[in-house]
Amino acid sequence: AMCPYELEIIGFKRWSEFKTKFPHGKVPVLYNFDEEGHDLAQETAITQFLARKLGLAGKTDEQEAFLNMLYQQLWCTFRNNGVTHDGE
């Protein structure tokens, strides 16, 4: 989507310095997502926000729901090292 971004890697040693600054003390974080100084945390929330903002979330509510389903399935599979909730 040709969306410029900056990647900041915090690392374990600096984590305590940043943890209290992030929503719910979690990463990843999309800084200033609303251009009013607020940060957005949690992978799914960030992915859905960016997909909608960049026109990649589908053209209808039904397409968006289908894409969200695919994303969630992939995310759960990757998070579980390729093992689905069905144990496959």
Side-chain angles (χ1 to χ4, degrees):
M2 301 304 293
C3 178
Y5 67 93
E6 293 179 26
L7 175 65
E8 179 180 6
I9 299 174
I10 296 167
F12 184 75
K13 290 182 181 180
R14 296 175 54 210
W15 175 238
S16 61
E17 168 189 343
F18 284 87
K19 186 174 182 171
T20 59
K21 298 177 184 180
F22 295 147
H24 311 290
K26 302 287 184 184
V27 290
V29 171
L30 183 61
Y31 293 122
N32 193 24
F33 80 101
D34 59 0
E35 298 181 20
E36 293 183 13
H38 300 102
D39 299 331
L40 184 64
Q42 300 295 346
E43 295 90 349
T44 301
I46 292 169
T47 301
Q48 290 175 339
F49 172 78
L50 290 174
R52 196 176 276 183
K53 187 85 169 170
L54 298 171
L56 301 172
K59 295 180 180 171
T60 66
D61 290 343
E62 292 78 14
Q63 287 178 350
E64 184 175 353
F66 184 78
L67 292 169
N68 285 340
M69 177 188 69
L70 292 177
Y71 168 80
Q72 194 61 41
Q73 178 63 36
L74 286 172
W75 172 246
C76 288
T77 301
F78 290 143
R79 181 190 64 211
N80 294 322
N81 296 317
V83 178
T84 67
H85 293 289
D86 297 328
E88 298 171 358

